[in-house]
Amino acid sequence: MDLSYTPEEEDFRARLREWLAKVLSTLPAAPSPDDWPGRRAYDLGWQRMLHDAGYADVHWDASPTIRLIFLEETERAGAPYVGANFVGLLHAGPTIAAEGTAEQRARWLPPVLRGEEVWCQGFSEPDAGSDLAALRTRARRDGDDYVVSGSKIWTSHAEVADWCELLVRTDPDAPRHRGITWLAMPMDAPGITVRPLRTLAGSAEFAEVFLDEVRVPVANRVGAENDGWRVTMVTLSFERGTAFVGEVVACRRVLGELARAARENGRWDDPVLRRRLGRLEAEFRALWRLTQWNVSAAQAGGGVPGTGASVFKLRYSHARQELYDAAADVLGPHCLDLDRRWVLDRLSSLSYTIAAGTSQIQRTIVAERVLGLPRGR
Amino acid sequence: MRFQLTGDQRALRAGVRELLERRFGRQALRAAVEAPGRLDRGLWRSLGEAGFFALRLPEPDGGVGLGMPEAVLLFEEAGRALLPGPLIATHLAAGKVPGAATGETVVTCVDGELVEWLEAADVVLGEVTGARAMRSVDPLTPLHRVRGATPAGPVADLLSAAEQLGTADRVCELAVQHARTREQFGRPIGSFQAVQHLCADLLVRTEIARTAVYAAAVTADEADIAAARLLADEAAVRGARDCLQVHGGMGFTWEADVHLHLKRAWLRAERGGGGTQSEELLAARLAG
């Protein structure tokens, strides 16, 4: 067991730190959360800066430990999050890299890395959220095209995306995991309607996407027809891997800020609150160690994150909610003021036990796939 | 960064598990339960021969010359096996109290307001004048209470956390075994989602405690040890309770081992004065 980094890893960290210190002051002001074109431009601009400095493909080509250091240092320095580049860099990109043809890789990967194209994810449907394999959006072959009809939901960045990684049902008679196909759909194709959805936090974080006889070239299919479920599992293993590294670093920073705020407003003298913050510090320290453990396991196992990711996600999503509940206790009555720091974060933390597989789904995954309990009904 | 067990560490853990199964299997465990307060000196010397106490002593001093990560793996196995005796105090006394390293001398110490195995020990470290015997909730650990509170220190806390980790791991295993084989309504109860989710939570708490304990063993940082202690106490105490719940009515009987795990987990959670100090230490680091 070792928690030290190699000289090459330390060197990478030092150079990255130096670069971040230099460039972050040159960034434009962050756009408002409701300004989607502004957010797109800002996030793509950041990706372009990473590209020009040689950090564009750190999520794809670097070792898991280098990725960990990258995410740790960028978060610590207050650098922008992947934002609009999330699906392209962490979902669609790795999927195309692993499963696409040479032509597909050449067409789609460079614009993601250069910060030129935004992807969104067309997986979930109104009746197929946690039960993803229940999806019903249909695609039928017509010459060199698939003709797609149906609807998708919870699609982040749909308003400003150029491409959508789309799951469609190509064989309605096959067992439900077998008749699914993975397509890259251009978002400017005729027949696509995007309707933003307002979240409980008051902002439009994601959208519904309605598809009416949308033509997608067969050449845009990644993997074989009806093999989309397997292709998707490749994608999801990335989502549940190192996706939360930066967030754990951020939560630890917030916890320090909470302690300082509590000192300033006198709530620190309450031993119940103080001990609660101490316990949260134990929690996030341990989550950071679990991250390092999972990254080390991925490094030893060839780079693909394993089931440790479900264990991590379960614990982390609840810890994040507890963190912002503690923030509310530090704030006192100010916790009802939407203009106060941490109040919107508290609202958005409610999504963590739902998004990317609810806690209940994750527990079932852990019980059946990790512990080997008999399948439930 | 290779934050995983090395081949040698895995071999050490497997070897200790095998030794404890041989020397302190279920029969020995149940015999010990029926003879409370009696420490098996033969077992103690076997542990000494296996290097249990001398593990971290340098080789020139007759020790094994290994480090804290290896000690933590050893105590994790001791926790799994519910091994009785003042293991931590004797381990910490190796090289300081003659005979401790070899298991010839049984050493106990004051930890918080408690002293374990006071009457069976040859040497007692700390002030125990006026110590009063308790009717210990754990049939495998006789206890005395002393005035004042002298914690045994961070290394003792870390080794205790390692024992808790072993308990957490073991009760998770027991719960899963039972859920796989016990049938109700014509199906194994492990196919019911309510039971599955209890078991999943057992594993999640164990795994987060594991990485906290192992990391603290590597860094030896006091805040890391405090975190490990809190997470491991939670994993063992709540884990044993959930395991008991999965066992249903059988879990409430003396014959099931679950209660022994729970009682020991409760006892360890009180060591060093309980988890309050750990929470305060971490809070102080936050605000510092």
Side-chain angles (χ1 to χ4, degrees):
Chain A
M1 284 185 277
D2 185 12
L3 283 163
S4 61
Y5 295 90
T6 65
E8 292 75 31
E9 289 161 352
E10 290 292 6
D11 186 50
F12 174 83
R13 186 193 294 277
R15 279 186 291 120
L16 174 60
R17 219 175 248 191
E18 197 184 322
W19 179 74
L20 287 167
K22 202 170 62 199
V23 301
L24 287 183
S25 58
T26 69
L27 272 178
S32 101
D34 286 322
D35 175 9
W36 282 95
R39 282 171 70 171
R40 175 189 156 106
Y42 183 84
D43 294 342
L44 286 177
W46 170 241
Q47 179 61 25
R48 180 79 208 186
M49 287 168 74
L50 288 171
H51 176 269
D52 292 346
Y55 294 114
D57 58 353
V58 72
H59 299 290
W60 297 358
D61 281 346
S63 74
T65 306
I66 289 291
R67 272 205 303 279
L68 175 100
I69 294 171
F70 176 81
L71 292 164
E72 183 186 5
E73 290 299 327
T74 47
E75 174 53 44
R76 192 166 281 164
Y81 187 54
V82 277
N85 293 305
F86 184 83
V87 174
L89 277 173
L90 301 177
H91 278 242
T95 305
I96 293 165
E99 299 287 333
T101 62
E103 279 166 347
Q104 290 172 334
R105 291 200 294 270
R107 165 63 190 89
W108 284 312
L109 301 187
V112 169
L113 294 179
R114 286 197 301 259
E116 290 165 2
E117 288 184 349
V118 167
W119 284 70
C120 63
Q121 186 182 64
F123 283 12
S124 294
E125 298 184 7
D127 293 320
S130 290
D131 185 10
L132 184 56
L135 66 91
R136 287 197 301 217
T137 290
R138 285 284 313 275
R140 63 177 163 80
R141 274 293 271 273
D142 181 26
D144 291 337
D145 290 338
Y146 286 105
V147 181
V148 183
S149 291
S151 70
K152 295 289 174 177
I153 197 167
W154 318 127
T155 312
S156 303
H157 306 107
E159 297 93 322
V160 295
D162 304 288
W163 295 94
C164 177
E165 51 166 349
L166 188 73
L167 289 183
V168 293
R169 187 161 297 285
T170 33
D171 183 355
D173 300 323
R176 44 191 229 130
H177 291 87
R178 300 242 176 90
I180 295 171
T181 298
W182 199 105
L183 299 178
M185 177 177 74
M187 286 299 283
D188 59 359
I192 301 177
T193 309
V194 175
R195 194 179 80 189
L197 279 170
R198 205 165 168 214
T199 73
L200 55 74
S203 58
E205 264 312 304
F206 34 55
E208 277 182 287
V209 179
F210 300 96
L211 307 166
D212 180 19
E213 300 274 302
V214 179
R215 299 191 82 88
V216 179
V218 172
N220 287 20
R221 186 186 72 216
V222 173
E225 187 169 284
N226 298 328
D227 194 30
W229 185 259
R230 189 189 57 77
V231 175
T232 303
M233 288 304 115
V234 171
T235 312
L236 289 182
S237 70
F238 285 97
E239 175 173 7
R240 289 171 190 166
T242 49
F244 296 103
V245 169
E247 298 201 21
V248 176
V249 177
C251 284
R252 296 192 69 184
R253 191 190 60 228
V254 168
L255 196 51
E257 289 165 4
L258 287 182
R260 281 188 289 282
R263 280 231 152 143
E264 279 161 25
N265 70 16
R267 284 174 191 265
W268 189 252
D269 297 333
D270 173 3
V272 176
L273 178 68
R274 203 170 57 229
R275 287 181 54 188
R276 190 166 160 209
L277 295 179
R279 191 164 271 274
L280 279 166
E281 168 66 2
E283 183 77 27
F284 284 104
R285 259 174 202 265
L287 281 164
W288 179 244
R289 299 312 188 187
L290 185 56
T291 302
Q292 291 177 311
W293 182 266
N294 287 343
V295 164
S296 293
Q299 186 126 326
V304 178
T307 41
S310 281
V311 170
F312 179 87
K313 185 185 182 292
L314 264 171
R315 189 84 186 196
Y316 172 70
S317 39
H318 289 272
R320 186 180 175 99
Q321 290 171 359
E322 283 170 30
L323 172 70
Y324 286 107
D325 281 346
D329 274 13
V330 172
L331 286 167
H334 292 303
C335 77
L336 303 174
D337 180 350
L338 281 170
D339 288 328
R340 283 278 177 158
R341 206 157 50 136
W342 304 315
V343 178
L344 276 175
D345 294 310
R346 187 187 191 199
L347 290 172
S348 70
S349 77
L350 297 170
S351 74
Y352 276 73
T353 45
I354 301 168
T358 64
S359 289
Q360 286 64 39
I361 291 287
Q362 300 290 348
R363 283 195 185 92
T364 301
I365 290 173
V366 168
E368 293 179 0
R369 296 196 209 152
V370 185
L371 295 174
L373 287 171
R375 283 187 72 86
R377 284 195 300 215
Chain B
M1 187 184 63
R2 293 275 160 158
F3 187 37
Q4 295 282 302
L5 264 59
T6 64
D8 284 350
Q9 287 168 340
R10 276 198 298 273
L12 172 75
R13 189 168 66 173
V16 176
R17 186 171 300 187
E18 195 266 329
L19 167 80
L20 293 182
E21 272 163 13
R22 192 156 32 82
R23 286 297 276 107
F24 193 69
R26 182 150 198 281
Q27 259 191 324
L29 169 73
R30 297 311 299 205
V33 170
E34 299 313 323
R38 194 178 306 153
L39 195 67
D40 182 347
R41 293 284 181 151
L43 173 62
W44 207 256
R45 275 189 294 273
S46 298
L47 294 174
E49 278 165 31
F52 210 97
F53 306 117
L55 188 82
R56 291 186 303 127
L57 274 189
E59 287 178 70
D61 302 339
V64 186
L66 290 174
M68 195 54 86
E70 286 77 19
V72 154
L73 294 176
L74 221 63
F75 279 83
E76 182 184 340
E77 289 307 313
R80 270 183 70 90
L82 271 172
L83 197 59
L87 295 160
I88 294 173
T90 304
H91 177 92
L92 292 178
K96 295 173 194 144
V97 174
T102 56
E104 294 299 319
T105 309
V106 176
V107 183
T108 190
C109 75
V110 177
D111 189 6
E113 291 174 60
L114 299 171
V115 190
E116 300 173 15
W117 293 95
L118 178 61
E119 280 159 7
D122 304 311
V123 176
V124 183
L125 303 174
E127 180 51 55
V128 291
T129 317
R132 296 176 64 157
M134 296 162 66
R135 210 155 68 82
S136 175
V137 70
D138 175 12
L140 286 163
T141 312
L143 285 174
H144 280 70
R145 249 193 100 177
V146 294
R147 285 176 190 284
T150 316
V155 176
D157 287 350
L158 175 57
L159 295 177
S160 182
E163 289 183 332
Q164 294 288 56
L165 170 61
T167 288
D169 196 51
R170 180 68 182 140
V171 293
C172 181
E173 199 174 275
L174 287 173
V176 170
Q177 273 169 12
H178 187 77
R180 271 200 202 126
T181 47
R182 169 74 172 164
E183 290 197 8
Q184 295 274 269
F185 306 100
R187 299 156 58 190
I189 60 168
S191 69
F192 295 112
Q193 199 168 64
V195 176
Q196 288 190 337
H197 288 194
L198 273 175
C199 293
D201 284 341
L202 273 161
L203 180 82
V204 170
R205 287 191 297 259
T206 304
E207 291 311 305
I208 190 120
R210 179 184 310 285
T211 49
V213 169
Y214 291 176
V218 172
T219 67
D221 176 83
E222 268 197 77
D224 279 339
I225 292 175
R229 191 249 156 94
L230 291 171
L231 273 295
D233 281 352
E234 182 202 24
V237 171
R238 291 200 51 194
R241 289 184 89 123
D242 284 354
C243 176
L244 199 147
Q245 179 71 21
V246 170
H247 278 75
M250 290 179 210
F252 194 65
T253 66
W254 189 263
E255 282 69 32
D257 291 343
V258 187
H259 70 102
L260 300 173
H261 288 285
L262 177 59
K263 290 163 178 173
R264 189 74 66 85
W266 276 341
L267 184 154
R268 297 189 198 112
E270 292 302 320
R271 284 176 176 164
T276 311
Q277 282 182 343
S278 301
E279 288 170 342
E280 289 285 5
L281 184 146
L282 287 162
R285 281 275 183 112
L286 265 181

